[in-house]
Amino acid sequence: MSVADFAAENNLHRVGARPPLHKYLQEMWQRRDFAIAMARYKIEADNQKNRLGMIWIGLSPVLTAIVYGVVFGLLQGDRRPDNFASFIIVGVFLFQYFTNTMNSGAKSIVSNRSLVQSLAFPRMTLPMATVIQQLMNVVVIIGVMYVILLVLGNPPSLSWLLIVPLVMIMTVFNAGVALFTARLTAHTRDLTQVLPIVTRIFFYTSGVLFPIDRVLSHFPALVKVYDFHPIYEFLVIGRGVLLEGYEVPAEYWLYASAWALLLLVIGTVTFWAAEESYGRVD
């Protein structure tokens, strides 16, 4: 009798074998408390050595918005969009939520390799913990953004509450991206060096700092392509619900939701497919 036959006869399973997807997701859900605790610990660990501590969570995007706002405000001159300061604040704050999740998710397996090699648990828990961490951070970031928008003279309205479903859609999208990039960098660490470049490309091509319709006004076909750019859609929706004078095409909510679900499915399946290879010593 072969080893495989003996295992099958006695209902034995190979250690570390990848379970079916539905069972895998159930096991990950059972460890949700671990993921939440890990996210909280990471937030504390990232800020405990700083004199300003948790304040940096909200201060970092503010400083980024000021620097880029001044530089690109001067460069754009008369082509600046209306309510330019608020335009930049919303763009930078929402975009930073995306990039922070992508970058931390990409490093979730690599930076926890010793944990992966020593304990048996669904590896998907690690990138999902980074998603939870960034969701906790964005609550603070959104609060700071509201305060700044009020200071800049933007009247509050009921539409401001729509930032909640927007953040939820972005979180689903970010989770898919985090899972996909975690899968890639777990086996090709050099990709972590490429991510900052990818981030910059998204930053300068997603309408964070300038209105796409004005900058590309001579290329109407290219402007139309941006209707299907997920990050651009998030920024347009965010500005539309928070700022007066900015409209949100109704279909953008549908497009953004479709992108989020698509990326989550792709990220989940891609990550699960390589479950048995995480933590292996090359």
Side-chain angles (χ1 to χ4, degrees), residues 9-274:
E9 182 179 335
N10 293 274
N11 197 29
L12 299 176
H13 302 282
R14 179 165 51 86
V15 175
R18 183 188 66 197
L21 181 57
H22 69 280
K23 185 176 181 181
Y24 182 76
L25 295 176
Q26 288 176 355
E27 292 177 357
M28 189 191 69
W29 176 252
Q30 292 170 359
R31 291 166 174 80
R32 61 189 181 278
D33 290 338
F34 168 68
I36 295 173
M38 192 172 184
R40 289 175 175 171
Y41 168 78
K42 193 65 169 60
I43 292 174
E44 294 177 1
D46 288 346
N47 295 283
Q48 66 180 357
K49 294 183 179 180
N50 298 325
R51 289 185 179 274
L52 296 180
M54 298 284 289
I55 295 177
W56 277 110
I57 294 176
L59 184 59
S60 178
V62 172
L63 296 177
T64 302
I66 291 174
V67 172
Y68 283 107
V70 171
V71 173
F72 280 83
L74 293 175
L75 290 177
Q76 292 183 65
D78 295 336
R79 294 191 302 172
R80 290 194 301 267
D82 298 333
N83 199 359
F84 179 68
S86 299
F87 179 93
I88 291 292
I89 287 293
V90 175
V92 169
F93 276 52
L94 292 180
F95 184 81
Q96 187 158 322
Y97 178 40
F98 162 71
T99 56
N100 286 350
T101 308
M102 180 179 69
N103 292 331
S104 59
K107 300 175 182 177
S108 59
I109 299 296
V110 175
S111 60
N112 292 285
R113 187 166 294 273
S114 59
L115 181 62
V116 172
Q117 293 174 340
S118 59
L119 296 176
F121 64 96
R123 310 315 188 201
M124 191 180 289
T125 306
L126 296 176
M128 292 307 295
T130 66
V131 174
I132 295 172
Q133 174 193 348
Q134 297 305 326
L135 178 59
M136 292 177 177
N137 284 341
V138 84
V139 173
V140 177
I141 291 174
I142 294 298
V144 173
M145 182 176 68
Y146 277 164
V147 172
I148 295 176
L149 292 179
L150 289 172
V151 171
L152 292 175
N154 297 280
S157 66
L158 290 177
S159 66
W160 282 26
L161 297 176
L162 292 176
I163 201 69
V164 175
L166 174 60
V167 168
M168 292 299 101
I169 296 172
M170 284 193 70
T171 301
V172 174
F173 179 84
N174 292 348
V177 173
L179 291 170
F180 185 76
T181 54
R183 163 68 175 84
L184 294 179
T185 56
H187 300 97
T188 310
R189 295 191 185 185
D190 291 350
L191 290 178
T192 59
Q193 306 302 319
V194 179
L195 278 178
I197 300 175
V198 175
T199 299
R200 290 304 170 198
I201 292 175
F202 280 132
F203 187 76
Y204 292 116
T205 60
S206 300
V208 178
L209 303 171
F210 46 81
I212 295 296
D213 55 345
R214 291 189 185 182
V215 174
L216 300 178
S217 57
H218 298 297
F219 306 94
L222 188 55
V223 173
K224 195 65 179 176
V225 171
Y226 268 85
D227 287 341
F228 304 98
H229 189 312
I231 302 175
Y232 175 71
E233 291 165 1
F234 293 138
L235 300 185
V236 170
I237 293 173
R239 287 165 176 149
V241 302
L242 295 174
L243 307 179
E244 287 188 337
Y246 289 89
E247 297 182 357
V248 181
E251 62 271 19
Y252 272 26
W253 285 99
L254 178 61
Y255 294 163
S257 299
W259 272 114
L261 291 175
L262 177 63
L263 263 294
L264 182 62
V265 171
I266 293 175
T268 298
V269 174
T270 301
F271 189 92
W272 164 78

